[in-house]
Amino acid sequence: QVQLVESGGGLVQDGGSLRLACEASGSFLRIGTMGWYRQAPGKQREMVATFSREGITNYSDSVKGRFTISRDFARNTIYLQMNSLNHADTAVYYCYADRWSAAHSRLYDYWGQGTQVTVSS
């Protein structure tokens, strides 16, 4: 099992910055991709940014150039630096991680409980 704990959400003014963190813990051998998703009221959950075990990053078009994802493999932690925030970024942000199980030949995914980010205009 993998447990994910997010931190760093809050209220920020339009144009401001926030930094989210997510630490993975538990008994696991090999976490693969970690990343951030978000869900705004009345909308589906969407990918924000991901960081693969190979070091490949991926961003949604809406956050490119404003958000930066980083990963500390030694600490099993990912970060999301969010700059130039605007009202459209208001959402609950969820941490994500996956883990391949060779024994079961399947990919398991895990989610944090979410942290609220609110951008006031």
Side-chain angles (χ1 to χ4, degrees), residues 36-86:
W36 294 95
Y37 286 69
R38 67 186 182 186
Q39 188 166 20
K43 295 188 177 181
Q44 289 188 330
R45 190 173 297 188
E46 63 174 357
M47 186 274 291
V48 176
T50 60
F51 198 120
S52 76
R53 189 172 183 85
E54 294 75 25
I56 298 171
T57 59
N58 188 33
Y59 294 91
S60 71
D61 288 342
S62 62
V63 307
K64 278 181 183 176
R66 300 188 299 122
F67 292 10
T68 302
I69 188 169
S70 58
R71 182 169 177 175
D72 185 337
F73 286 89
R75 297 174 185 265
N76 291 307
T77 300
I78 59 167
Y79 304 93
L80 186 68
Q81 178 65 44
M82 305 184 292
N83 298 327
S84 301
L85 286 160
N86 58 62

Side-chain angles (χ1 to χ4, degrees), residues 87-102:
H87 184 68
D89 297 314
T90 295
V92 177
Y93 284 69
Y94 295 92
C95 180
Y96 165 88
D98 63 35
R99 179 180 66 87
W100 175 255
S101 170

